Structures are given as C-alpha cells and as structure tokens.
Amino acid sequence: KNEVEQSPQNLTAQEGEFITINCSYSVGISALHWLQQHPGGGIVSLFMLSSGKKKHGRLIATINIQEKHSSLHITASHPRDSAVYICAVDNTDKLIFGTGTRLQVFP
Amino acid sequence: NAGVTQTPKFQVLKTGQSMTLQCAQDMNHNSMYWYRQDPGMGLRLIYYSASEGTTDKGEVPNGYNVSRLNKREFSLRLESAAPSQTSVYFCASTPASGFYEQYFGPGTRLTVT
C-alpha cells in the first residue's frame, strides 16, 4: 500500500464547479504539500501546511492530523485550473509523493 | 531570478552511454534534490544534498551518481544508461531541509533506447 494515496485519480468538471481532491497518508509527517503540475510539465508549490487550513485565491487546503487526511478545494473552477495536483508529505525531511489527480475543467 | 534551471530539456541516449544532467539555482538555497517521475508513479527521490559538501541517497539511487559542485549547482550522472532510466527528471531546491516549500526546475525528459 502506498504511503500517500490520492483520490480521485482523474476528475472532470464543468467551469464553475466546486472541486475537491483528497489525500490520505499513513506515515508521521511534519508538513503536507500540495503541488500543481501544468500540462507542459512544470511543477509549482501551492500550499505547505502542518495544521488547519490555508487559502490562496480560489484554492483552499485543509489538513486533519489526527485522521491523516488533507483536502484541496477549488472554488469556481476554470479551464486554466486543468492540471495534475500532487500531494506530498514531509517525512524525516524528505518528501513522499502521491501519484497525482488529473483535473480537466471544461468550459 | 531564474529560480531552478535544468539542462538539457530533452535527451536521447543509447543503452550504455553516459551523461550528466545539470541543475543550478540562484536563490541561495542550501538543500537540493533530484527526482524522477514515471507514468503512474509519484515522484521518487534519487539523491539529495542537505547542504554544500554533503550528498545522500534517496529511494532509488542505483545507477546514478551526484555531485554538489558548489552551493548553486547539483548534477546527476548516469554512468551507463539503461532503458529503465527512461523518465522525466526534476531538480528541486529549498532554503534548508525541513519545513520549506520546494522549488522545482522545468524537468529533463530522458529516453534510453
């Protein structure tokens, strides 16, 4: 079993829909990262969090340490949000990555 | 700032050939990392360097060597390429090990035939 599991693997949505991507992990962590990988391949960091909730624009990330679970929400989704979203956990100063959730948002 | 740069962007090798992937960062970061990304799998750590002068193995180090040439540069060498090393390689850096976001380079797509 992978130490970091993401669901769903693939997600399609209509523009304007509310999106939720989930991440569960089985190891102790000091932080959890959400990353975005664009269709061209580049990877950017969206959030790093160790407790509670963070918001940046239309993106919200939450984490429940007791349940070892995090969610990434996108409000009012837009076609430019189409990308692969990757969850990664910081375990002994090294990241363990999930396999990603491919999101496609259609106009 | 250019951030994290990688060269080359694309490379095709024949089995047994060697090559070095270059990575440089201009953010004065202490820690640097090499990952590989394969279809259906998450990014996996090959080697990392917590600070200038130190390197350590990650999850999948076999077939690779690294050099932390100075604080800016961290190179990855394939001594004798194998088809199993066909992958996309990403370099990343952080200010230090631990609770910092990682900054990724654009990636190198390597094909070994």
Side-chain angles (χ1 to χ4, degrees), chain B residues 10 34 39 45 55 57 59 68 71 79 85 94 100 108:
Chain B
F10 301 94
W34 275 106
L45 181 65
T55 60
K57 295 178 181 178
E59 183 186 349
R68 183 74 184 267
K71 193 170 186 180
E79 290 290 352
Q85 294 177 304
T94 61
Y100 294 99
T108 295

Side-chain angles (χ1 to χ4, degrees), chain B residues 27-65:
Chain B
M27 296 173 284
N28 202 35
H29 285 175
N30 285 308
S31 300
M32 297 184 73
Y33 308 81
W34 275 106
Y35 297 99
R36 60 178 289 172
Q37 185 178 41
D38 301 295
M41 304 185 75
L43 286 146
R44 291 181 292 168
L45 181 65
I46 305 170
Y47 270 93
Y48 67 102
S49 170
S51 61
E52 187 180 354
T54 69
T55 60
D56 283 290
K57 295 178 181 178
E59 183 186 349
V60 288
N62 290 346
Y64 305 95
N65 285 301

Side-chain angles (χ1 to χ4, degrees), chain A residues 30-31 33 35 37 40-45 48-50 54 86 90 93-95 97-99, chain B residues 33 35 37 40-45 48 57-58 90 97-106:
Chain A
S30 56
H33 300 248
L35 308 163
Q37 186 167 25
I43 300 172
V44 296
S45 177
M48 183 178 62
L49 63 167
S50 58
K54 285 192 175 181
I86 300 170
D90 197 325
D93 294 342
K94 293 187 283 293
L95 294 187
F97 295 81
T99 55
Chain B
Y33 308 81
Y35 297 99
Q37 185 178 41
M41 304 185 75
L43 286 146
R44 291 181 292 168
L45 181 65
Y48 67 102
K57 295 178 181 178
F90 288 95
S97 298
F99 192 67
Y100 294 99
E101 68 176 89
Q102 296 209 351
Y103 294 80
F104 286 82

Side-chain angles (χ1 to χ4, degrees), chain A residues 80-97:
Chain A
R80 66 174 173 266
D81 297 325
S82 297
V84 175
Y85 292 84
I86 300 170
C87 171
V89 300
D90 197 325
N91 176 256
T92 62
D93 294 342
K94 293 187 283 293
L95 294 187
I96 304 172
F97 295 81

Side-chain angles (χ1 to χ4, degrees), chain A:
Chain A
K1 189 177 187 301
N2 292 338
E3 293 163 309
V4 180
E5 299 269 4
Q6 287 185 237
S7 63
Q9 285 188 310
N10 295 284
L11 187 54
T12 57
Q14 289 295 124
E15 184 173 356
E17 285 185 1
F18 182 82
I19 305 290
T20 296
I21 298 169
N22 296 298
C23 176
S24 296
Y25 54 92
S26 58
V27 295
I29 70 169
S30 56
L32 183 141
H33 300 248
W34 281 103
L35 308 163
Q36 181 191 54
Q37 186 167 25
H38 299 289
I43 300 172
V44 296
S45 177
L46 298 174
F47 293 104
M48 183 178 62
L49 63 167
S50 58
S51 64
K53 178 177 171 178
K54 285 192 175 181
K55 184 175 191 289
H56 184 248
R58 294 179 295 105
L59 301 179
I60 303 166
T62 64
I63 187 168
N64 184 317
I65 296 292
Q66 286 73 30
E67 294 186 6
K68 296 190 172 180
H69 182 268
S70 175
S71 293
L72 176 68
H73 305 286
I74 305 174
T75 61
S77 59
H78 190 276
R80 66 174 173 266
D81 297 325
S82 297
V84 175
Y85 292 84
I86 300 170
C87 171
V89 300
D90 197 325
N91 176 256
T92 62
D93 294 342
K94 293 187 283 293
L95 294 187
I96 304 172
F97 295 81
T99 55
T101 294
R102 184 175 301 275
L103 171 65
Q104 288 185 292
V105 182
F106 294 99

Side-chain angles (χ1 to χ4, degrees), chain A residues 37 40-42, chain B residues 5-13 19-23 34-38 46 76 78 85-91 104-111:
Chain A
Q37 186 167 25
Chain B
T5 57
Q6 289 183 236
T7 55
K9 286 190 166 50
F10 301 94
Q11 184 71 50
V12 179
L13 291 178
M19 78 160 296
T20 299
L21 281 64
Q22 306 285 354
C23 173
W34 275 106
Y35 297 99
R36 60 178 289 172
Q37 185 178 41
D38 301 295
I46 305 170
L76 179 72
L78 287 70
Q85 294 177 304
T86 293
S87 188
V88 181
Y89 292 84
F90 288 95
C91 177
F104 286 82
T108 295
R109 186 173 294 274
L110 174 68
T111 302

